[in-house]
């Protein structure tokens, strides 16, 4: 199904993209967070890590919010063509550029990349540049969208609400709580490792209008989760006397609640003076 009328650009999505990009940069230049020290510098690095931790989930939430209704604009063949051009080609191009830089520096891992198969594995595992792990994850999200988009619009709140609830309880909440007691959780949610929670959350948050009370709960949960993540990680690292990860994790409930709070705060703010009409791509 296609539509000749271009949808209006949503200013909040642009704001979220910009904020997430800035936060990703902040995370990537915050490498000292992995050099544990009982000092103010390391604590400030952990604070930056926590405050910006929602960036990657926001990108996935924006994917769900902007692409779940793609059938109203173009068919599935064009959907995948656009995703290929926007992600697969840049991923391969920049992977080869990264490898060229490693070759120029004399640090290319010839001992492990010696044939076409190992080269393929090296690229697909984000070997040339570890931050490219995001691409395979988002490709999994793209593969989910054509199936999820077939759910009739009038049934999506119920269907996606179920997917979110199951993901939150059995992927984000219960495993993290049990981990505090050294216990494991055997039940998994097979929809792409659980990241679908952000895909459906992004769409759901654009379809509902929280009440003032619900907004307060969302923001309180987000702020409380940020405090929990910071205090919990500091406590864990101090106990281990090392930079370890326990409360952080994109699929842990503190990150989920933080991401929802940030998305809601920006999306439901009045950006009307910034809205322009432009075709979504």
């Amino acid at each position: 199904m296609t539509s000749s009328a271009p949808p209006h650009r949503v200013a909040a999505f642009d704001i979220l993209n910009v904020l997430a990009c800035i936060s990703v940069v902040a995370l990537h230049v915050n490498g000292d967070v992995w050099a544990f020290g009982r000092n103010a510098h390391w604590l400030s690095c952990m604070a930056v890590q926590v405050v910006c931790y929602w960036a990657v989930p926001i990108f996935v939430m924006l994917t769900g919010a902007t692409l779940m209704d793609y059938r109203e604009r173009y068919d599935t063949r064009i959907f995948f063509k656009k995703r290929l051009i926007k992600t697969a080609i840049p991923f391969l191009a920049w992977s080869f550029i990264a490898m060229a830089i490693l070759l120029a520096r004399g640090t290319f891992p010839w001992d492990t990349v010696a044939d076409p198969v190992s080269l393929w594995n090296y690229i697909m595992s984000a070997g040339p540049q570890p931050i490219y792990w995001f691409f395979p994850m988002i490709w999994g999200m793209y593969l989910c969208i054509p199936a999820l988009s077939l759910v009739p619009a009038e049934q999506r709140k119920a269907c996606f609400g179920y997917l979110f609830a199951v993901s939150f309880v059995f992927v984000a909440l219960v495993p993290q709580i049990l981990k505090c007691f050294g216990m494991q959780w055997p039940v998994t949610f097979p929809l792409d490792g659980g990241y679908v929670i952000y895909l459906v959350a992004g769409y759901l948050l654009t379809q509902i209008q929280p009440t003032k009370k619900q907004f307060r709960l969302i923001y309180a949960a987000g702020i409380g989760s940020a405090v929990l993540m910071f205090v919990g990680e500091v406590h864990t690292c101090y106990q281990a006397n090392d930079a370890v990860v326990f409360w952080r994790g994109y699929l842990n409930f503190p990150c989920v609640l933080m991401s929802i709070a940030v998305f809601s705060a920006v999306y439901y703010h009045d950006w009307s003076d910034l809205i322009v009409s432009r075709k979504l791509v």
Side-chain angles (χ1 to χ4, degrees), residues 52-102:
C52 299
Y53 205 70
W54 45 265
V56 168
I58 287 294
F59 286 131
V60 184
M61 294 173 77
L62 286 169
T63 297
T66 59
L67 294 180
M68 199 62 70
D69 290 323
Y70 78 87
R71 294 178 187 274
E72 297 178 2
R73 305 190 293 275
Y74 40 72
D75 59 26
T76 301
R77 180 184 63 83
I78 295 178
F79 169 82
F80 281 120
K81 179 181 177 180
K82 286 178 175 287
R83 308 290 69 81
L84 178 69
I85 294 173
K86 288 179 176 292
T87 61
I89 293 177
F91 169 75
L92 291 174
W94 284 103
S95 292
F96 280 103
I97 291 173
M99 286 190 290
I101 294 174
L102 293 176

Side-chain angles (χ1 to χ4, degrees), residues 109-242:
W110 289 108
D111 55 331
T112 58
V113 184
D115 55 70
V117 173
S118 59
L119 176 62
W120 167 269
N121 293 337
Y122 181 62
I123 294 175
M124 290 298 110
S125 63
Q129 177 49 260
I131 64 175
Y132 293 170
W133 71 269
F134 177 84
F135 286 93
M137 182 274 291
I138 204 66
W139 293 338
M141 296 296 97
Y142 292 156
L143 292 174
C144 291
I145 288 176
L148 292 173
S149 66
L150 289 174
V151 177
E154 63 273 13
Q155 297 179 17
R156 284 184 185 174
K157 287 184 181 180
C159 178
F160 290 3
Y162 169 80
L163 291 176
F164 176 82
V166 172
S167 295
F168 184 79
V169 173
F170 295 111
V171 175
L173 182 62
V174 172
Q176 182 64 27
I177 293 176
L178 292 180
K179 188 168 68 171
C180 295
F181 301 95
M183 302 167 66
Q184 297 183 352
W185 178 251
V187 180
T188 60
F189 194 56
L191 287 179
D192 204 74
Y195 279 93
V196 72
I197 189 173
Y198 293 116
L199 202 65
V200 297
Y203 177 82
L204 285 171
L205 286 172
T206 64
Q207 303 300 308
I208 61 176
Q209 175 62 58
T211 64
K212 289 184 178 181
K213 182 177 180 179
Q214 289 171 334
F215 270 127
R216 295 191 191 101
L217 290 174
I218 289 173
Y219 297 149
I223 295 171
S225 294
V227 172
L228 173 62
M229 185 183 291
F230 178 79
V231 174
E233 288 296 71
V234 170
H235 175 72
T236 304
C237 291
Y238 270 55
Q239 280 193 322
N241 200 36
D242 193 10

Side-chain angles (χ1 to χ4, degrees), residues 9-17 62 266-269 271 275:
R9 192 175 190 90
V10 180
F13 293 161
D14 292 330
I15 301 297
L16 284 166
N17 259 315
L62 286 169
V266 176
Y267 183 77
Y268 286 102
H269 182 76
W271 304 102
I275 296 178

Side-chain angles (χ1 to χ4, degrees), residues 2-8 72-73 277-280:
T2 60
S3 175
S4 58
H8 289 289
E72 297 178 2
R73 305 190 293 275
S277 180
R278 176 176 165 185
K279 187 175 182 180
L280 290 174

Side-chain angles (χ1 to χ4, degrees), residues 240-253:
N241 200 36
D242 193 10
V244 297
V245 175
F246 189 88
W247 290 99
R248 281 172 291 172
Y250 294 131
L251 296 179
N252 287 346
F253 75 89

